Amino acid sequence: MIILYGLYVIRNLLKYKIHCVKKIFIFLKKKNLYIKYITKFLNIKFIKIDFVSRKFLTNLVKNNNHQGICAVCDNLPLLKKKDFLLDLICRKKYPILLLLDRITDPYNLGACIRTTVAVDIIDAILITKYSTVDLKSSVIHKVSGGAIYKIDIVEIINVVNILIFLRKKNFFIIGTCISAQKSLFSFDFTQVKHPIVLILGCEQNGIKENIKKYCDILLKIPLKNVNSLNLSVSNGIFLFEIFRQLKCF
């Protein structure tokens, strides 16, 4: 069971995962139009609503930023298995995957997911099963603004094994590395006539050395005056540059 909160989170939850919603709590004095719309919608869908105090909500979610609404969910499916990748590769000629390796900060992971959905060029996000924050963390759902329900997320056990598998499927593997020789902005993505997987590593150390060996190229974001960027910021820069080049935006 998982408790989620926030207007955008609940809106997207009801749109994409309504079958998982067991109960909704709404702050009794919340009168805005969106809350009224949700209340009407839930009554039509026969989902139980409890009108409660602000203190009740705050204690329930252990956070003041609930925006007057939260949901109790059961069996919320968020992760897909490797078979999904096989199906995706068969369906699409040049899929683009984002591999996030060992992301431990729920704020970073939530922000990465939100940006990825906003850019709308990634077909699926791959996350590592171990040393990655649990997707049931309500922080991830809140920071992503409910975008987590809009994209396919595949759980992988071993990064090297999945890269070997993707290489056999003709994927071009791009690693991100602050010490790389080549800049992101000097690389021509339009010349990559293959499916792509972009790898971003953990917040502290980036991608591992043994993973770099399987990359076709390592790219960096050129920086001045600072040594590094926040992971989710780097993710956004990489994805928007890929989008700019491939979608001519």
Side-chain angles (χ1 to χ4, degrees):
M1 186 170 291
I2 180 174
I3 298 175
L4 304 173
Y5 56 90
L7 284 174
Y8 287 108
V9 174
I10 304 304
R11 181 185 70 179
N12 285 313
L13 181 68
L14 294 174
K15 185 175 181 179
Y16 297 100
K17 304 287 185 181
I18 190 170
H19 57 284
C20 300
V21 179
K22 300 302 179 186
K23 193 174 185 179
I24 295 282
F25 292 101
I26 297 176
F27 175 38
L28 181 62
K29 296 182 181 180
K30 197 76 170 177
K31 300 293 185 182
N32 68 47
L33 291 175
Y34 187 63
I35 289 291
K36 290 179 180 178
Y37 166 77
I38 287 182
T39 304
K40 184 178 180 180
F41 175 82
L42 292 173
N43 284 327
I44 293 173
K45 295 294 181 178
F46 301 104
I47 294 176
K48 187 175 180 181
I49 310 170
D50 273 6
F51 292 95
V52 297
S53 68
R54 185 187 298 276
K55 183 178 180 181
F56 177 91
L57 282 180
T58 301
N59 290 337
L60 183 66
V61 303
K62 298 179 175 57
N63 192 305
N64 288 313
N65 197 24
H66 48 67
Q67 297 178 300
I69 188 168
C70 74
V72 178
C73 300
D74 189 24
N75 193 29
L76 185 61
L78 295 171
L79 293 169
K80 296 185 178 296
K81 300 299 181 183
K82 186 179 175 180
D83 288 347
F84 169 82
L85 279 183
L86 287 169
D87 181 59
L88 174 63
I89 293 167
C90 291
R91 284 188 288 107
K92 191 164 184 178
K93 186 176 182 181
Y94 294 127
I96 303 178
L97 306 176
L98 173 65
L99 198 164
L100 299 174
D101 180 29
R102 298 168 295 125
I103 311 304
T104 58
D105 185 339
Y107 291 92
N108 262 331
L109 186 54
C112 285
I113 293 170
R114 186 169 187 159
T115 302
T116 301
V117 172
V119 177
D120 195 26
I121 199 171
I122 298 296
D123 294 290
I125 298 175
L126 280 57
I127 64 169
T128 45
K129 181 175 182 178
Y130 304 107
S131 301
T132 295
V133 63
D134 191 342
L135 282 189
K136 291 181 181 179
S137 166
S138 58
V139 173
I140 297 175
H141 296 253
K142 184 66 168 65
V143 174
S144 79
I148 191 172
Y149 317 124
K150 299 181 181 182
I151 191 165
D152 293 308
I153 301 175
V154 182
E155 184 180 70
I156 60 174
I157 295 175
N158 185 288
V159 175
V160 169
N161 287 346
I162 205 71
L163 292 181
I164 292 172
F165 164 76
L166 292 174
R167 186 181 286 278
K168 289 179 181 178
K169 297 297 181 181
N170 209 28
F171 270 78
F172 187 80
I173 302 171
I174 301 173
T176 60
C177 177
I178 196 169
S179 60
Q181 297 299 308
K182 196 170 186 64
S183 165
L184 161 68
F185 304 110
S186 65
F187 184 74
D188 188 356
F189 287 91
T190 64
Q191 297 303 308
V192 181
K193 306 301 182 183
H194 300 276
I196 292 173
V197 55
L198 174 69
I199 309 171
L200 279 84
C202 70
E203 296 93 334
Q204 291 78 28
N205 305 311
I207 61 178
K208 292 181 178 179
E209 291 300 319
N210 65 327
I211 294 174
K212 292 178 184 178
K213 296 175 184 178
Y214 290 89
C215 295
D216 293 295
I217 192 169
L218 295 173
L219 297 176
K220 68 178 180 181
I221 300 170
L223 301 176
K224 292 184 178 180
N225 303 320
V226 295
N227 295 325
S228 63
L229 294 175
N230 175 272
L231 172 70
S232 61
V233 173
S234 298
N235 177 67
I237 292 172
F238 268 93
L239 294 188
F240 272 106
E241 177 60 16
I242 295 171
F243 180 86
R244 184 189 69 81
Q245 291 192 33
L246 298 185
K247 298 293 185 179
C248 301
F249 126 98

